[in-house]
Amino acid sequence: MVRLNIPEDKPLAVQQWQGLIAINYPARKYGMNRHITISEAKKLCPDLIMQHVATWKEGDEKWAYHKDAFAHIATHKVSLDPYRLESKRILACIKDVLPAPPIQKVEKASIDEVFLDLSAQTHSILLERYPELSGPAPYDDPAESLPRPPTTALDWNTDALVDLDTAETEDDDPDWDDIAMLIGSEIVRAVRAVIRERLKYTCSAGIAKNKMIAKLGSAHKKPNQQTIVRNRAVQQFLGGFKFTKIRNLGGKLGDQVVSTFGTDLVEELLEVPLEQLKSKLGDDTGSWVYQIIRGEEQSEVNSRTQIKSMLSAKSFRPSINTLEQAVRWLRIFAADIYSRLVEEGVNENKRRPKTINLHHRQSGQMRSRQAPIPSGRPIDEMMVFDLAKTLLGQVIIEGRAWPCANLSLSVGGFEDGPAGNRGIGGFLVRGEEAKAIASTARDADRRALTSEDGRPEKRQRVDHWGIQKFFLKREESREEHDDEFGSDQVSALGGPSRTSPHYNDEERGSDVDPYDDAPLQQNDVPPEERSTRTADAHKHIHETSDPSPPTHQLSIEAYACDRCSKSMSTSNKEEHEDWHFAKDLQAQERNNSTSTGARPTSAPHGNSRPSSIGPHKGPKKIGGAGQNGAQAQKRVEKGQSRLVFGR
């Protein structure tokens, strides 16, 4: 009526094909119900307004209201999307009125029904209005009795108040349970008023101590009222009900209880003792029925408002007999489900189903097929349609697929998408943005290579020795051998850097691999003699070179080796130290390999620790005091000396 802008006092019915599925209260005054036909309804109320439900039409991309939909049952499918959308709006309105979680607990029971747990909110309001409940002791002790309520009469406003049990009277003073019910009714009344104001919908409500009684109370007085079932009125309220109306007591269990005890009234079933219920229905079922008809139910409000699955189905009258017909309906199912997935946020990766199911009924036999939805691809309408066709093909291959009386497609296993994640596209830049970044980088490089006067600066040439630089043992080697070499400063293994002002080919060798043993042996010069020669060469260069002004002497960042008197940049210091260290190890290894078991008296440059360089087998030790000829050191095999650089 809100969509059609029809006055609320006009009789209105919702039509689906040739039947009625909903009738408003003004139309019910004419004696109509949902089980009568269109022609019968028109006879009872000639002024009845009938609106057909929205339908999906074959070939359409969205549901719509078709005036002639009732005449095209073979090519149209009912759509409940308008009701789902309005249900979401109502639910959002309820959440806006109530306090934020965790105080707010809302459970969506169906498309037009919700459960609210108002315990926490009612408790907080109760303590505000009656501070004596929060203390002092002994009233904060759960085992201590509470003081009597200061109020002797409660204003229930215009709510429908269920009469008290026979043993209770309205003249009795209210208890705290009654005050809690009163506060709950005030909260619910405020929620209903906001829904009415914002969305123009009326709604009824029930306030009670558990979900079962509250649900029965919401249907007790309609329309647009709320019913309060106080704890002292539960038996009076339930006594007039058929227990088959109670949730979970209908269906087969309800039929079994009726056939066993010959009644369907709660009032009569209350007289059956517990032991008889257990003997007839079983211990668990008998105990549950005994408690439920007395208003005792312990199920909690589950804060779940999101759907678990989506279904799109069609019953065919007459049945379909070809694959082409079935595929056309699958396309409608796929469009229906995908539109609802979009509403659930599948495009924003908020929620995503994991499985898709196809149900096919032929001659009373139902067959189902299931498949996983690929997680690495975004879900779209074509993906849903292709998966549905694959499942239908599996059913057809088994045979006996036609005629088909019912076909349905569903998705389930919803899971929340990861929060804060971005796809790979979020890390990439394209088009003009990428060009701007590249241009900025080029300008920065150009400025870095240009001096202040605008002339290009020359870069210092540095020999990095290719891949070999990754095998150098720098800080680790220095720390491990500090006690052996004291404060000796060494540089990169293989000789001074090419950037050193005193680089000479005699020491380093031309095009020599710094990790090759042979060049090191050819350049085998005692450390003392090498230092002397280096110093002489250094002196000769300075004598034959033009003296530089004092301001062009070694800069503060320059480093002079105290072993070979080389001067170089501090950035090459570690490489130079490593080179000295490798030369010392080579000299020490050569002395060990040529000895006959006698331990060297001293290690190069003051090394007094016994050497243990190179691998050896078994318990044999290289060198060591007290060894005789039979325990002489085994000669190091060729190639073993290279292993020292990996220690």
Side-chain angles (χ1 to χ4, degrees):
M1 301 183 75
V2 174
R3 182 182 65 86
L4 299 175
N5 197 24
I6 297 175
E8 294 182 358
D9 59 347
K10 295 291 183 180
L12 173 71
V14 179
Q15 179 183 356
Q16 179 174 317
W17 312 132
Q18 297 300 323
L20 302 179
I21 62 173
I23 302 171
N24 70 351
Y25 288 96
R28 295 183 187 184
K29 295 179 181 179
Y30 293 88
M32 287 185 290
N33 56 58
R34 292 184 297 176
H35 302 291
I36 64 175
T37 63
I38 301 298
S39 58
E40 292 174 341
K42 280 290 187 181
K43 291 179 181 179
L44 293 174
C45 181
D47 297 330
L48 179 66
I49 302 172
M50 290 184 293
Q51 170 64 53
H52 199 282
V53 297
T55 57
W56 285 86
K57 182 181 178 181
E58 184 180 356
D60 290 351
E61 296 182 355
K62 185 174 176 56
W63 55 266
Y65 289 97
H66 301 278
K67 293 181 179 181
D68 58 346
F70 65 93
H72 298 87
I73 187 174
T75 57
H76 286 241
K77 174 195 171 303
V78 172
S79 173
L80 299 179
D81 287 359
Y83 306 104
R84 296 189 186 99
L85 294 175
E86 295 305 304
S87 177
K88 286 185 176 181
R89 294 178 62 196
I90 295 173
L91 187 61
C93 190
I94 294 174
K95 291 183 175 181
D96 287 343
V97 178
L98 298 178
I103 295 179
Q104 177 190 119
K105 295 185 70 176
V106 180
E107 176 183 348
K108 183 178 180 181
S110 66
I111 198 170
D112 63 347
E113 184 179 35
V114 295
F115 288 111
L116 309 178
D117 185 348
L118 304 177
S119 303
Q121 186 177 358
T122 299
H123 181 260
S124 62
I125 297 175
L126 199 64
L127 295 181
E128 291 178 3
R129 295 183 183 180
Y130 305 95
E132 61 269 22
L133 294 179
S134 59
Y139 301 126
D140 57 354
D141 183 1
E144 191 72 23
S145 298
L146 294 174
R148 298 294 301 176
T151 305
T152 58
L154 301 178
D155 182 12
W156 296 102
N157 208 305
T158 58
D159 296 339
L161 197 63
V162 174
D163 294 335
L164 297 177
D165 296 340
T166 55
E168 304 285 344
T169 64
E170 293 293 348
D171 295 335
D172 296 335
D173 291 337
D175 198 356
W176 289 111
D177 289 343
D178 298 329
I179 296 178
M181 290 289 179
L182 177 64
I183 295 175
S185 69
E186 295 173 358
I187 298 172
V188 174
R189 190 181 300 112
V191 171
R192 293 172 51 234
V194 173
I195 295 175
R196 178 69 166 170
E197 179 185 358
R198 296 183 184 178
L199 306 178
K200 310 304 180 185
Y201 294 127
T202 61
C203 54
S204 59
I207 298 95
K209 66 178 182 179
N210 56 42
K211 293 168 65 175
M212 179 200 73
I213 302 176
K215 178 177 174 60
L216 294 174
S218 66
H220 185 60
K221 293 289 184 179
K222 286 187 176 182
N224 197 27
Q225 293 190 55
Q226 61 185 45
T227 301
I228 301 176
V229 184
R230 292 168 289 181
N231 294 347
R232 297 185 292 162
V234 170
Q235 290 303 314
Q236 176 70 22
F237 178 65
L238 292 178
F241 276 95
K242 293 182 178 182
F243 57 76
T244 52
K245 298 294 184 180
I246 297 176
R247 189 176 60 157
N248 298 326
L249 251 181
K252 293 182 179 180
L253 178 58
D255 294 341
Q256 180 185 358
V257 176
V258 171
S259 61
T260 302
F261 299 99
T263 182
D264 61 355
L265 298 178
V266 172
E267 185 177 12
E268 295 179 359
L269 195 62
L270 285 172
E271 299 176 359
V272 180
L274 175 60
E275 294 303 323
Q276 186 176 353
L277 288 172
K278 288 184 177 180
S279 63
K280 297 293 184 178
L281 304 176
D283 289 347
D284 293 339
T285 304
S287 298
W288 180 81
V289 171
Y290 182 85
Q291 295 292 331
I292 208 72
I293 61 177
R294 286 166 173 77
E296 300 298 330
E297 193 227 12
Q298 307 300 327
S299 63
E300 296 184 359
V301 173
N302 181 15
S303 298
R304 176 185 58 82
T305 59
Q306 294 179 327
I307 62 174
K308 295 182 178 180
S309 62
M310 294 179 181
L311 172 69
S312 186
K314 173 69 177 177
S315 294
F316 304 111
R317 295 191 297 269
S319 300
I320 59 176
N321 295 279
T322 65
L323 173 62
E324 182 182 359
Q325 290 176 300
V327 169
R328 286 201 300 264
W329 283 109
L330 288 183
R331 184 173 292 279
I332 294 177
F333 295 165
D336 182 16
I337 289 179
Y338 178 68
S339 66
R340 292 152 61 186
L341 288 174
V342 172
E343 295 172 6
E344 285 294 310
V346 68
N347 290 341
E348 295 80 18
N349 204 28
K350 293 180 180 179
R351 300 193 75 210
R352 180 187 178 96
K354 295 189 293 185
T355 59
I356 184 170
N357 301 269
L358 178 78
H359 300 274
H360 174 281
R361 189 173 75 227
Q362 185 263 340
S363 299
Q365 180 182 4
M366 178 69 74
R367 286 181 288 179
S368 303
R369 290 295 177 270
Q370 183 183 85
I373 297 177
S375 58
R377 293 171 50 194
I379 297 179
D380 55 22
E381 183 178 334
M382 284 306 301
M383 173 193 279
V384 177
F385 178 56
D386 291 340
L387 290 173
K389 287 195 300 183
T390 301
L391 296 177
L392 178 61
Q394 296 176 5
V395 173
I396 294 176
I397 289 176
E398 295 180 358
R400 301 188 307 278
W402 317 113
C404 176
N406 180 276
L407 197 62
S408 66
L409 187 68
S410 64
V411 293
F414 278 83
E415 59 183 1
D416 295 334
N421 283 13
R422 292 190 299 168
I424 190 173
F427 297 91
L428 304 177
V429 291
R430 302 178 179 86
E432 297 300 327
E433 185 179 1
K435 294 179 180 179
I437 294 176
S439 176
T440 303
R442 286 194 299 268
D443 293 342
D445 292 342
R446 191 179 299 110
R447 288 192 299 268
L449 296 175
T450 305
S451 61
E452 296 181 356
D453 57 0
R455 292 178 300 174
E457 292 184 350
K458 293 183 178 180
R459 289 186 176 181
Q460 187 180 30
R461 180 181 178 186
V462 180
D463 188 1
H464 293 287
W465 299 341
I467 196 174
Q468 298 161 0
K469 67 178 180 180
F470 295 100
F471 298 92
L472 299 180
K473 302 280 286 185
R474 295 184 178 178
E475 294 298 331
E476 181 181 345
S477 299
R478 292 180 60 193
E479 294 174 2
E480 182 179 353
H481 298 284
D482 278 348
D483 56 342
E484 297 185 33
F485 296 95
S487 60
D488 292 346
Q489 304 295 328
V490 294
S491 183
L493 182 64
S497 171
R498 289 185 182 270
T499 58
S500 171
H502 303 296
Y503 173 83
N504 69 66
D505 291 334
E506 180 180 355
E507 284 189 6
R508 185 184 185 280
S510 178
D511 298 328
V512 176
D513 185 347
Y515 293 92
D516 190 351
D517 289 340
L520 289 175
Q521 293 174 2
Q522 294 173 3
N523 193 28
D524 187 17
V525 181
E528 297 82 358
E529 183 178 350
R530 182 179 64 233
S531 299
T532 303
R533 293 182 180 180
T534 305
D536 292 342
H538 180 74
K539 180 179 179 181
H540 175 71
I541 292 175
H542 278 282
E543 290 177 351
T544 57
S545 302
D546 294 335
S548 301
T551 57
H552 293 281
Q553 297 296 328
L554 290 176
S555 65
I556 297 176
E557 297 182 355
Y559 162 71
C561 178
D562 57 357
R563 296 184 59 180
C564 63
S565 301
K566 300 292 185 184
S567 61
M568 64 200 73
S569 173
T570 54
S571 61
N572 297 323
K573 175 182 175 182
E574 293 183 1
E575 296 181 355
H576 188 71
E577 290 175 347
D578 289 344
W579 180 78
H580 278 299
F581 174 54
K583 292 292 292 182
D584 292 342
L585 290 180
Q586 182 188 19
Q588 183 177 356
E589 183 184 62
R590 184 170 56 253
N591 293 338
N592 290 340
S593 63
T594 56
S595 65
T596 58
R599 178 179 175 175
T601 57
S602 63
H605 296 281
N607 181 13
S608 60
R609 195 168 73 180
S611 173
S612 59
I613 300 174
H616 56 277
K617 299 180 181 179
K620 293 183 180 181
K621 297 182 179 180
I622 301 177
Q627 290 180 331
N628 54 28
Q631 296 173 326
Q633 168 186 313
K634 181 179 178 181
R635 182 177 181 85
V636 180
E637 297 180 1
K638 182 178 180 181
Q640 286 186 334
S641 58
R642 301 189 184 191
L643 297 177
V644 300
F645 305 117
R647 290 190 61 210

